[in-house]
Amino acid sequence: MTESTTVGEHTGPEATTISLSDLLRAPVVASAGETIGRVVDVTVRLRGPDAYPEVTGLVAAMGGRRVFVAARTVDQWRPGRVTLTGNAVDLRSFQRHDGEVLLRADVLGHRLIDVAAAELVRAYDVELEHTGRGWSPVRLDTRRRPRFFGLFGSNDVASVRDWRSFEPLIGDGRSAAARRVAGRVGALKPAQIADLLEDADRAEGFEILDRVRSNPGLEADVFSELDSDKASQLLDGMPDADVAGLLGRMRADDAADAIVDLRQSRRLRVLDLMPAPQRVKVTTLMGFNPDTAGGLMNTDVTTCAATATAGEALAVIAAATTLAPEALLKVHVLDEGAHLVGLVSVIALLQSEPATAVVALMDSDPSRVDAAVDLADVALLMADYDLYLVPVVDDEDRVLGVVTVDDVLQATIPEDWRRREPAPRAVRAARYPS
């Protein structure tokens, strides 16, 4: 380990490093040589996802109190010793400021989001480096040491990685706004965010949700991917109005599942607060057994009249911006009485002239099921006929909804398969210019 020299306005070697573990409990020494305290933490200011945080100072234990020592008053940072430029310090008790992060209290032993792997990892040590303009935390060690708190003697490069590979996930409210700025959680896929939530504890879960709340559509998609127990736990911590707004943005079948998992005392309150069209869809779905086509279906479907042309049918698809993409694979063709008379695929419509009649392109005898058909029978039907979706109809062939292949997969794949640990993969340490 190379020792550092002076910082701030002083000059020193180009690439000096210190581990946080070598600073904690180190003596704070006045310029005259007297030990006046010991390091208990290091303070930093976050500067966004593409920049290293800036070390602003340290917290030292002095005479039974904790005081702040500004970085500009530190002459030398060395493993096991911090030397000041003078002999006096401000003895007022340390008070955390908004946006301030404490490396030991907030990072060490806490979990962060590994953005590339989309998983939560725990930080066991931090490497500080002198960048030429000051000190910054530049690397994290995410592997627990079995016997001692040493840091960078390990050859396990996968566990020692660039600070910027991670998204801070720290519980202190005074740094929440600074942590939210990065915004990289919102770039993950809904299923990846759901996996993070299912691995998170309660405090971590609400912080992750706070990162996606600015994108209501993404938040709804994330809840659609959550297992029922975790979704219920998170919904229990939200006000009724927020729950109703969230469920109002979800697919009706997913919202119905979430409503059923709410405490019975909340269901009616939340339903009453939901937008009327969504409430009707949800209450309709709640009337079906969840293991049947009716309980599984999505009530949002695309339809056109039997008199429509290919161009008009494509316009219906183009206008259906709120529907899930898998529900747009085929258009349901209805007669004047709203009975199902055929299905036409998007591919057939795209490959035809706009003026072509839909009835000339449609399957006039499509597979369909009634709402009481068991999930297993729906799955077998789709497998036997290579179907991506199946209409659900009533006794008069009026369309109630549609079951899509993703619904069937989600319902039939065992839960322990869906959430099993991924195969180990090598993590390449990112290289960033200093």
Side-chain angles (χ1 to χ4, degrees):
M1 184 76 66
T2 304
E3 290 187 357
S4 72
T5 58
T6 54
V7 299
E9 298 300 322
H10 302 274
T11 60
E14 292 183 357
T16 56
T17 60
I18 309 175
S19 67
L20 179 62
S21 59
D22 287 336
L23 284 176
L24 295 179
R25 297 177 297 278
V28 178
V29 181
S31 61
E34 178 186 2
T35 296
I36 59 177
R38 291 193 176 273
V39 177
V40 295
D41 219 324
V42 174
T43 61
V44 302
R45 182 182 299 113
L46 300 180
R47 298 193 293 184
D50 298 322
Y52 295 118
E54 172 191 7
V55 172
T56 56
L58 59 87
V59 182
M62 294 183 180
R65 69 177 67 189
R66 294 188 173 196
V67 302
F68 176 69
V69 179
R72 65 179 180 275
T73 68
V74 177
D75 182 52
Q76 292 186 335
W77 303 71
R78 298 187 179 190
R81 180 186 178 95
V82 173
T83 305
L84 306 183
T85 57
N87 295 312
V89 297
D90 187 341
L91 293 178
R92 287 178 295 180
S93 295
F94 169 72
Q95 298 291 329
R96 185 196 287 259
H97 296 152
D98 288 344
E100 194 168 54
V101 170
L102 278 64
L103 292 183
R104 185 194 67 79
D106 294 339
V107 178
L108 212 61
H110 292 273
R111 297 204 293 181
L112 304 93
I113 299 171
D114 184 330
V115 177
E119 64 180 3
L120 296 178
V121 297
R122 198 172 300 277
Y124 292 105
D125 212 339
V126 183
E127 186 179 56
L128 305 172
E129 184 173 297
H130 191 277
T131 63
R133 292 177 297 177
W135 287 87
S136 292
V138 295
R139 279 174 287 277
L140 290 173
D141 188 353
T142 60
R143 192 184 72 169
R144 182 193 292 274
R145 292 295 179 264
R147 298 179 62 86
F148 56 91
F149 197 67
L151 179 59
F152 300 100
S154 169
N155 292 324
D156 183 6
V157 296
S159 69
V160 182
R161 296 172 54 207
D162 194 280
W163 172 282
R164 293 172 293 187
S165 300
F166 304 92
E167 182 87 351
L169 188 62
I170 312 159
D172 191 272
R174 283 161 292 189
S175 61
R179 300 196 305 275
R180 196 181 298 119
V181 170
R184 292 185 293 177
V185 174
L188 298 176
K189 295 179 180 179
Q192 291 176 312
I193 301 174
D195 285 342
L196 291 176
L197 287 168
E198 288 172 6
D199 187 34
D201 62 27
R202 184 179 178 85
E204 291 169 341
F206 280 111
E207 177 154 345
I208 292 170
L209 277 182
D210 187 57
R211 308 287 182 93
V212 300
R213 194 153 285 143
S214 60
N215 185 338
L218 176 60
E219 184 184 24
D221 290 341
V222 168
F223 267 87
S224 296
E225 296 286 346
L226 286 172
D227 68 45
S228 58
D229 289 341
K230 190 65 178 186
S232 297
Q233 181 188 88
L234 293 171
L235 292 174
D236 280 345
M238 298 168 59
D240 289 346
D242 290 350
V243 174
L246 171 63
L247 299 185
R249 296 187 294 271
M250 291 170 62
R251 281 179 31 167
D253 53 336
D254 292 327
D257 292 339
I259 284 283
V260 170
D261 290 332
L262 288 177
R263 299 191 309 272
Q264 190 168 358
S265 59
R266 294 191 76 190
R267 291 176 192 168
L268 287 178
R269 297 201 307 268
V270 171
L271 280 169
D272 287 343
L273 292 170
M274 289 176 64
Q278 180 78 334
R279 182 171 63 245
V280 171
K281 295 176 185 177
V282 168
T283 53
T284 298
L285 291 170
M286 290 172 64
F288 295 108
N289 184 318
D291 294 324
T292 64
L296 197 64
M297 69 182 179
N298 181 8
T299 57
D300 293 325
V301 298
T302 50
T303 65
C304 73
T307 57
T309 63
E312 291 168 339
L314 285 173
V316 170
I317 295 173
T321 56
T322 61
L323 271 62
E326 58 271 16
L328 303 176
L329 295 173
K330 295 190 177 183
V331 178
H332 298 70
V333 184
L334 309 180
D335 64 15
E336 293 180 354
H339 305 100
L340 180 67
V341 295
L343 279 179
V344 60
S345 73
V346 174
I347 299 300
L349 294 172
L350 289 171
Q351 292 177 340
S352 301
E353 294 296 325
T356 305
V358 164
V359 292
L361 304 172
M362 71 182 186
D363 176 0
S364 59
D365 186 24
S367 300
R368 69 201 81 182
V369 295
D370 64 51
V373 172
D374 288 340
L375 167 61
D377 291 331
V378 177
L380 286 172
L381 176 67
M382 297 183 79
D384 287 345
Y385 290 93
D386 296 327
L387 303 175
Y388 294 101
L389 58 79
V390 177
V392 182
V393 297
D394 63 14
D395 293 339
E396 297 183 2
D397 252 4
R398 291 190 176 91
V399 179
L400 300 175
V402 62
V403 176
T404 56
V405 67
D406 65 306
D407 294 322
V408 173
L409 287 173
Q410 186 173 7
T412 55
I413 293 177
E415 188 66 26
D416 56 343
W417 285 22
R418 294 176 58 221
R419 298 303 177 195
R420 64 182 175 178
E421 289 292 321
R425 72 180 209 179
V427 180
R428 298 177 66 182
R431 295 185 179 272
Y432 294 92
S434 299

